[in-house]
Amino acid sequence: MSIAENLALVRHNVDLAVARRREAPVTGPLVKVVAVTKNHSADEVREALAAGAAALGENRVQEATAKAALLPPAEWHLIGHLQTNKVRQAVPLFTLIHSLDSEKLALEVERVAAKAGKRQDVLIQVNVAGEDTKSGIAPGGLTDLARLVSGLEHLRLCGLMTMAPFYEDAELARPVFRELYGMYADLKAAALPNTAIEWLSMGMTNDYSVAVEEGANLVRVGTAIFGPRHY
Ligand SMILES: *Cc1c(COP(=O)(O)O)cnc(C)c1O
């Protein structure tokens, strides 16, 4: 199947998952698909853009910068871990950073965004399942980090992101998604100043249908759109 056909199938599955939701989530009925382009060529990304991909996701700042230079302007999202020494390169490129996970990183993004005269939209990444191999703050640290970000003028907190553990059976990830949805609903209800809580980023190729059923409105899908990655 072509990239365009794959993208259409993902969109269709997302629509089916929205229809299966048992109640209307606070995230609303619209779901954006982020096409994850890591390890795929600029030509493949161009195909996805032509097919109407709304946003592109990359894990690494350098890879995204190199690819963006070969492509028409697009909405780039940083979905991988961000090191403080890459912030200077990241801020000009990314519409949304999904992976804010520490006070130190928040302060560095604030410093760089202030210099660039940009208001940087960010999501806080939460390590819901507490896996050693995954980045993200522990759920217990969320409130403090959200308050800190709320106080930074050049950041705008827009929601939360998580990566569930990989399970063959995506059903097993459902409790993780449900837990993050609860944290998201609380954060939205808290109505912190200087925030616009509207994005809940969860779900990848293996589990995006379950994530959408549990209220995700931003899914990050690579393999189902572009095929397997070749490292
Ligand atoms: C690679 C990656 C994805 C996409 O993974 P697929 O399984 O290929 O859909 C989504 N989110 C993050 C954070 C990733 O690193």
Side-chain angles (χ1 to χ4, degrees):
M1 287 218 303
S2 70
I3 287 171
E5 287 168 322
N6 289 340
L7 185 60
L9 183 58
V10 170
R11 286 246 46 116
H12 178 66
N13 288 334
V14 163
D15 291 343
L16 295 178
V18 167
R20 280 196 302 271
R21 285 170 170 171
R22 281 169 307 137
E23 46 192 282
V26 295
T27 40
L30 299 178
V31 178
K32 188 188 271 195
V33 175
V34 178
V36 176
T37 56
K38 65 174 182 233
N39 282 79
H40 292 287
S41 68
D43 282 340
E44 291 169 287
V45 183
R46 199 171 283 116
E47 232 179 294
L49 286 172
L56 306 172
E58 280 281 342
N59 284 57
R60 295 213 180 98
V61 179
Q62 264 149 324
E63 189 179 340
T65 305
K67 242 173 256 182
L70 302 172
L71 292 163
E75 183 177 314
W76 290 91
H77 290 203
L78 182 65
I79 61 171
H81 181 67
L82 177 57
Q83 291 169 301
T84 48
N85 64 357
K86 297 280 161 54
V87 170
R88 211 161 45 88
Q89 225 190 329
V91 165
L93 178 60
F94 293 105
T95 301
L96 183 63
I97 294 173
H98 292 227
S99 49
L100 194 83
D101 64 354
S102 73
E103 178 178 328
K104 183 179 161 213
L105 182 59
L107 294 173
E108 179 62 7
V109 176
E110 166 67 18
R111 193 184 69 79
V112 171
K115 242 182 166 173
K118 182 183 181 184
R119 183 100 183 270
Q120 178 67 59
D121 287 351
V122 299
L123 308 180
I124 292 178
Q125 181 176 356
V126 185
N127 188 352
V128 176
E131 288 179 287
D132 291 342
T133 52
K134 300 250 163 80
S135 41
I137 58 153
L142 174 58
T143 305
D144 280 353
L145 185 57
R147 285 216 186 94
L148 177 99
V149 174
S150 160
L152 298 174
E153 250 184 277
H154 299 89
L155 292 193
R156 177 166 39 220
L157 181 59
C158 298
L160 301 177
M161 181 272 232
T162 200
M163 256 177 112
F166 178 84
Y167 298 113
E168 287 293 338
D169 177 6
E171 258 320 304
L172 297 175
R174 190 180 296 277
V176 169
F177 296 141
R178 201 167 280 181
E179 212 174 318
L180 192 73
Y181 176 78
M183 293 180 220
Y184 176 92
D186 290 347
L187 181 64
K188 196 173 172 71
L192 295 172
N194 191 35
T195 65
I197 307 302
E198 56 185 343
W199 295 117
L200 179 56
S201 170
M202 51 188 201
M204 308 170 31
T205 290
N206 193 54
D207 54 18
Y208 69 88
S209 290
V210 176
V212 169
E213 285 171 21
E214 294 301 324
N217 64 358
L218 204 48
V219 292
R220 310 175 308 267
V221 180
T223 307
I225 296 172
F226 296 103
R229 285 180 286 274
H230 303 289
Y231 289 96

